Amino acid sequence: PYPLFPEFNIPEKHILTKTHCGGYILKSMPEDYILTTDQFQTKCLTTVDGDGIEKSYDSTRVAKAIHLVRDPLDNIIARFNLARKQPQVTEYSNNPEGFR
């Protein structure tokens, strides 16, 4: 939020951010989105701004990282919910039938 709201004070130490670091493609097989270490880092340092323009962060600005590992079933549900938010995806209803 800091570039958008210059009146916010930038924290002196760390800013926690969320990224999916690539590696997930809707409707593809796992072998289609396995990344090398360099590809993973590049994806982690990449964002899309409000205008849809892709930008990359300088890796020297990253001091620490937290790698969150979730229960695989939680990931399946999260990806189902994410897929339903995509405008081109219409075949999944928000009920047990759509989920299966």
Side-chain angles (χ1 to χ4, degrees), residues 21 35-46 59:
C21 293
L35 303 174
T36 66
T37 303
D38 289 338
Q39 290 169 325
F40 181 79
Q41 181 179 5
T42 299
K43 291 290 187 181
C44 286
L45 296 170
T46 303
S59 65

Side-chain angles (χ1 to χ4, degrees), residues 15-71:
I15 301 171
L16 186 62
T17 62
K18 176 184 174 186
T19 179
H20 291 277
C21 293
Y24 172 66
I25 303 168
L26 188 62
K27 293 186 177 182
S28 68
M29 299 303 292
E31 57 270 12
D32 295 332
Y33 56 83
I34 294 173
L35 303 174
T36 66
T37 303
D38 289 338
Q39 290 169 325
F40 181 79
Q41 181 179 5
T42 299
K43 291 290 187 181
C44 286
L45 296 170
T46 303
T47 187
V48 178
D49 71 12
D51 295 322
I53 298 170
E54 193 173 277
K55 297 182 178 186
S56 294
Y57 292 101
D58 178 359
S59 65
T60 61
R61 297 183 69 190
V62 179
K64 294 182 177 185
I66 298 171
H67 190 162
L68 179 65
V69 179
R70 299 192 303 184
D71 181 297

